[in-house]
């Protein structure tokens, strides 16, 4: 800037500050005199209060606790989404093989008309199926994922000896009735190895296959009632491990043990002893290669026998001197031992109950374990890992009227020691198999 312009700066500022009318002012008035004023509603500050559209000069800060809470909520949401994605991506929990040694799960039983499940180690129990119905006799599937039980029917005449067969998940949820025709509390029910169906022997001496999903109606595999029957008359039946491809059964006359294919065809006799009302009960070994059964002898009572699955190699298992009655046996999960209910004939001709006996399938002495059961014997089974025999008085077994309740006894099959579980049960108990 030149010195001359700096010297004139005060004069220039004064000229700019002096009020004056522009030369074109008259032209502006001439153009706008005929136009209406702009509506106030076109101005935003006239639609909304100025207090709501004008930011405060100082921005307020939310309290610290509110910011912290928002952060926590966002973190919880992220964790929940991650957990959901993780669970969805995980493979399903492993299931045990249907037979053989497995890990111990919960023990299911009925009490007070409900189904309970107890941890046999801690003794903690909880109700898993409840409601106004009378539910009894839970049985876990071989893979431990499902549970079957009986739900009592009541009709207008007040009869309560009819039941429905119900299946639920192992935790008691998703219960569904599978039978349209009533069954008895004493009708034997057995799970298939893969848990897809159940085998029922009903009061009409029919072997019935029941779809566990309920998608298809029950199917009669063998019906020996009447002249029009489609199969043998049976009083007991059992699926062969490990795949359930065959059914072992005893004809009504009791003089034989027979086998048929799972669809009811191809029936044939494995062993026969005319005039002998024995063989029942009978049990497959866990691997399906052997069969345990009972058979009466003239000299020493009714003893436990085993044979190969084809009926060969029959041999008596116990050899103590005296007259004995043996029944209600159970294979250990590894298939190496059998537990047996036993009564010994006294000198006065009375049958005296003995502790549950455990004997090796290779033979030898029978070792008594646990306390002496009631005179009717015990209802028992092995734990899935084979370390324990769970025993209850036979008086709580279904079909015994006014049986009341009892506490299970956990027996060590090696040293015979035992302990009482602090739960009151009113039916036979079922021990859940889980993956090792």
């Amino acid at each position: 800037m030149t010195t001359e312009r700096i010297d004139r700066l005060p004069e220039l500022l004064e000229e700019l500050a002096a009020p004056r009318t522009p030369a074109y002012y008259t032209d502006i008035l001439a153009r706008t005199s005929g136009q209406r004023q702009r509506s106030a509603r076109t101005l935003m500050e006239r639609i909304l209060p100025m207090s709501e559209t004008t930011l405060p000069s100082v921005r307020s800060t939310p309290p610290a606790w509110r910011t912290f809470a928002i952060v926590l909520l966002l973190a919880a949401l992220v964790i929940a989404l991650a957990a959901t994605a993780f669970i969805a991506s995980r493979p399903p929990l492993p299931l045990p093989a249907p037979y053989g040694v497995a890990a111990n799960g919960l023990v299911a039983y009925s009490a007070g008309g409900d189904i309970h499940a107890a941890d046999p180690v801690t003794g903690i129990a909880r109700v898993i199926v409840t409601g106004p119905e009378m539910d009894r006799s839970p049985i876990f599937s071989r893979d431990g994922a499902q549970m079957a039980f009986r739900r009592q029917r009541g009709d207008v005449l007040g009869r309560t000896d009819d039941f429905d067969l119900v299946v639920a998940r192992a935790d008691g949820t998703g219960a569904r009735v599978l039978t349209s025709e009533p069954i008895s509390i004493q009708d034997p029910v057995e799970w298939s190895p893969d848990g897809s169906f159940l085998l029922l022997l009903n009061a009409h001496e029919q072997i019935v296959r029941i779809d566990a999903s309920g998608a298809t109606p029950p199917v009669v595999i063998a019906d020996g009632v009447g002249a029009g029957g489609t199969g043998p008359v049976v009083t007991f039946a059992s699926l062969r491990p490990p795949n359930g491809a065959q059914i072992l059964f005893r004809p009504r006359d009791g003089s034989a043990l027979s086998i048929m294919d799972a669809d009811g065809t191809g029936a044939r006799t494995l062993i026969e002893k005319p005039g002998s009302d024995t063989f029942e009960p009978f049990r497959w070994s866990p691997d399906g290669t052997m069969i345990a059964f009972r058979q009466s002898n003239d000299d020493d009572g009714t003893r436990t026998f085993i044979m190969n699955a084809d009926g060969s190699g029959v041999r008596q298992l116990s050899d103590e001197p005296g007259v004995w009655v043996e029944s209600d046996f159970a294979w250990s999960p590894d298939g190496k031992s059998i537990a047996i209910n036993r009564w010994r004939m006294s000198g006065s001709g009375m049958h005296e109950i003995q502790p549950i006996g455990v004997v090796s399938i290779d033979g030898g002495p029978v070792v008594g374990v646990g306390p002496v059961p009631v005179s009717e014997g015990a209802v028992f089974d092995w734990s899935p890992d084979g370390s324990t025999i769970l025993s209850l008085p036979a008086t709580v077994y279904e079909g015994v009227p006014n049986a009341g309740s009892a506490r299970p006894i956990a027996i060590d099959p090696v040293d015979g020691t035992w302990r009482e579980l602090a739960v009151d049960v009113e039916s036979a108990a079922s021990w859940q198999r889980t993956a090792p």
Side-chain angles (χ1 to χ4, degrees), residues 120-154:
V121 177
T122 64
I124 297 175
R126 62 187 179 90
V127 179
I128 58 175
V129 180
T130 188
E133 302 90 353
M134 180 70 70
D135 298 324
R136 291 183 61 87
S137 317
I139 309 173
F140 281 115
S141 59
R142 302 296 306 176
D143 61 7
Q146 301 178 86
M147 178 179 58
F149 58 92
R150 302 169 202 248
R151 175 164 288 169
Q152 193 172 48
R153 287 186 173 191

Side-chain angles (χ1 to χ4, degrees), residues 17 25 43 55 70 88 128 141 145 155 182 189 202 209 213 215 226 250-251 265-266 296 368 389 393 406 423:
Y25 181 71
L43 303 177
L55 292 175
I70 293 173
I128 58 175
S141 59
D155 57 25
V189 173
N202 64 22
R209 178 186 173 121
S213 70
R250 190 194 81 159
T265 63
S296 60
I389 295 175
V423 293

Side-chain angles (χ1 to χ4, degrees), residues 72 77 106 122 152 232 240 270 333 342 363:
L72 284 181
L77 179 60
L106 300 176
T122 64
Q152 193 172 48
R240 181 178 182 178
L270 293 179
R342 312 173 75 224

Side-chain angles (χ1 to χ4, degrees), residues 23-264:
Y24 51 82
Y25 181 71
T26 305
D27 294 334
I28 294 175
L29 291 178
R31 291 186 180 184
T32 60
S33 60
Q35 296 180 0
R36 297 179 59 187
Q37 185 177 358
R38 182 180 179 184
S39 172
R41 293 190 61 83
T42 63
L43 303 177
M44 186 58 68
E45 64 269 22
R46 296 297 179 260
I47 298 175
L48 298 176
M50 292 300 292
S51 62
E52 297 183 14
T53 60
T54 305
L55 292 175
S57 58
V58 179
R59 182 171 296 176
S60 61
T61 303
W65 67 266
R66 185 179 301 173
T67 302
F68 182 67
I70 293 173
V71 172
L72 284 181
L73 287 174
L74 290 175
L77 179 60
V78 171
I79 293 172
L81 291 174
T84 301
F86 174 71
I87 292 173
S89 64
R90 284 189 308 173
L93 292 176
L95 297 175
Y99 293 91
V101 178
N104 297 337
L106 300 176
V107 174
Y109 59 93
S110 64
D114 296 327
I115 305 298
H116 301 244
D119 185 325
V121 177
T122 64
I124 297 175
R126 62 187 179 90
V127 179
I128 58 175
V129 180
T130 188
E133 302 90 353
M134 180 70 70
D135 298 324
R136 291 183 61 87
S137 317
I139 309 173
F140 281 115
S141 59
R142 302 296 306 176
D143 61 7
Q146 301 178 86
M147 178 179 58
F149 58 92
R150 302 169 202 248
R151 175 164 288 169
Q152 193 172 48
R153 287 186 173 191
D155 57 25
V156 294
L157 299 179
R159 293 180 301 220
T160 56
D161 54 352
D162 290 339
F163 291 80
D164 284 315
L165 183 63
V166 183
V167 164
R169 301 184 188 93
D171 62 1
T173 62
R176 54 195 179 276
V177 176
L178 301 183
T179 49
S180 56
E181 296 295 325
I183 64 174
S184 165
I185 194 68
Q186 296 175 319
D187 293 345
V189 173
E190 181 181 347
W191 277 99
S192 66
D194 64 359
S196 64
F197 69 92
L198 297 103
L199 199 69
L200 167 72
L201 179 61
N202 64 22
H204 304 294
E205 297 172 341
Q206 297 171 319
I207 300 178
V208 183
R209 178 186 173 121
I210 302 175
D211 182 3
S213 70
T216 58
V219 176
V220 176
I221 295 175
D223 183 1
V225 178
T230 59
V233 178
V234 299
T235 59
F236 195 76
S238 181
L239 287 162
R240 181 178 182 178
N243 56 18
Q246 294 174 313
I247 300 174
L248 185 67
F249 68 96
R250 190 194 81 159
R252 173 185 279 280
D253 62 11
S255 63
L257 270 182
S258 301
I259 197 169
M260 68 175 107
D261 295 334
D263 61 1

Side-chain angles (χ1 to χ4, degrees), residues 362-379:
D362 296 327
V366 180
V367 178
V369 297
V372 177
V374 297
S375 59
E376 292 87 349
V379 178

